[in-house]
Amino acid sequence: MAGEVIGPVLQARGLNAHQGREHVLRGVDLSIHQGGGIVLTGPSGAGKSTLLRALAGLVVPSGGDILFKGQQIEGRPANEIAKLGIGFVPKERRVFARMTAYENLEIGRRLGSKPSRSEWSFERVFHLFPVLAAQKDRFAGDMSPGEQRLLILARTLLGNPEVVLLDEPAEGIAEEDLLELVRILDRIRGEGVALLLAERQLRVGRTVCDRACLLENGKITQQDVIVDADESESEDMGRNRKVAAATS
């Protein structure tokens, strides 16, 4: 594959972050390779969102390193990090409500990076997101929560990321939209884009990802390989029967 990365495409080493006086991240080590899929799970307040925001340049680390393809990027502004090839899909559905879906997507294209692989064109995105192709002239504010989530993801892809960070991607969306989201994320991984998801309940990650990390009190306490999926599994990864301890 053209532009193939040797080693991790995105890596955190000993990452620390504070919010006010609260020490949220405490020496986090995490790496993801090209085309990899990691779901980051753990209880509320464990630091999952803070970790994603730090990797995206929206939280300034108080210690440690963030490397993108071997290049240190911690402390850089979020717009520069996005242009390097790190996309971020926040928990909040941040769309321009009185702009059409197409106009929202155009913003992602203008703010994007120069692709190291094949570019995400409108044609390619609409092929992957048929629901958006059918509604490209609709105001984003009139779309369902699930459609808005897909719109934000598509807008992020038009920035040509090599890694996409998703914070609670399944939150607040209907089951049919969830199935479409899973299908699309699986296809995106197949294109060589790495995915890092933060989820308290493994609604998406258990299907899309191949590795799970448990974050507790700002530290990754367990890293497992996802080997199976079951609807009845607990969100507590320590009791989760679909993961097996990694051997490497």
Side-chain angles (χ1 to χ4, degrees), residues 12-18 23 25-29 51 54 59-66 72 74-75:
R13 298 191 306 204
L15 195 64
N16 286 265
H18 289 73
H23 195 173
L25 300 179
R26 301 170 178 267
V28 171
D29 293 309
L51 176 55
V59 170
V60 178
S62 52
D65 303 316
I66 301 173
Q72 286 192 252
E74 71 276 1

Side-chain angles (χ1 to χ4, degrees), residues 60-211:
V60 178
S62 52
D65 303 316
I66 301 173
L67 295 92
F68 178 68
K69 297 195 292 189
Q71 177 184 5
Q72 286 192 252
I73 61 171
E74 71 276 1
R76 290 195 185 189
N79 63 322
E80 287 187 14
I81 289 176
K83 285 183 177 295
L84 286 174
I86 299 176
F88 178 52
V89 179
K91 183 187 308 182
E92 305 80 11
R93 296 187 301 274
R94 295 175 180 171
V95 298
F96 297 94
R98 303 320 297 167
M99 296 173 64
T100 66
Y102 188 92
E103 289 168 336
N104 272 263
L105 294 174
E106 178 66 24
I107 291 171
R109 188 188 65 80
R110 291 203 305 265
L111 297 178
S113 65
K114 294 180 179 179
S116 62
R117 300 187 302 277
S118 56
E119 183 176 8
W120 285 94
S121 63
F122 278 100
E123 180 181 5
R124 190 177 175 196
V125 163
F126 284 143
H127 180 73
L128 184 59
F129 296 80
V131 66
L132 298 182
Q135 300 190 71
K136 65 180 185 296
D137 296 322
R138 188 180 182 187
F139 284 131
D142 295 334
M143 302 173 79
S144 73
E147 291 165 347
Q148 289 177 350
R149 183 78 68 194
L150 294 178
L151 177 61
I152 297 167
L153 177 57
R155 186 175 67 195
T156 302
L157 285 181
L158 282 165
N160 296 304
E162 297 188 46
V163 182
V164 176
L165 316 173
L166 301 102
D167 195 359
E168 295 291 352
E171 186 169 288
I173 67 173
E175 191 66 27
E176 59 268 25
D177 292 326
L178 176 64
L179 294 174
E180 180 69 356
L181 176 63
V182 166
R183 180 192 69 81
I184 289 169
L185 290 176
D186 191 57
R187 288 281 302 277
I188 291 170
R189 270 198 69 195
E191 296 284 348
V193 178
L195 301 177
L196 176 58
L197 285 64
E199 284 195 298
R200 202 159 54 88
Q201 296 179 340
L202 305 178
R203 296 181 69 196
V204 175
R206 63 187 174 195
T207 303
V208 171
C209 298
D210 51 30
R211 189 151 59 101

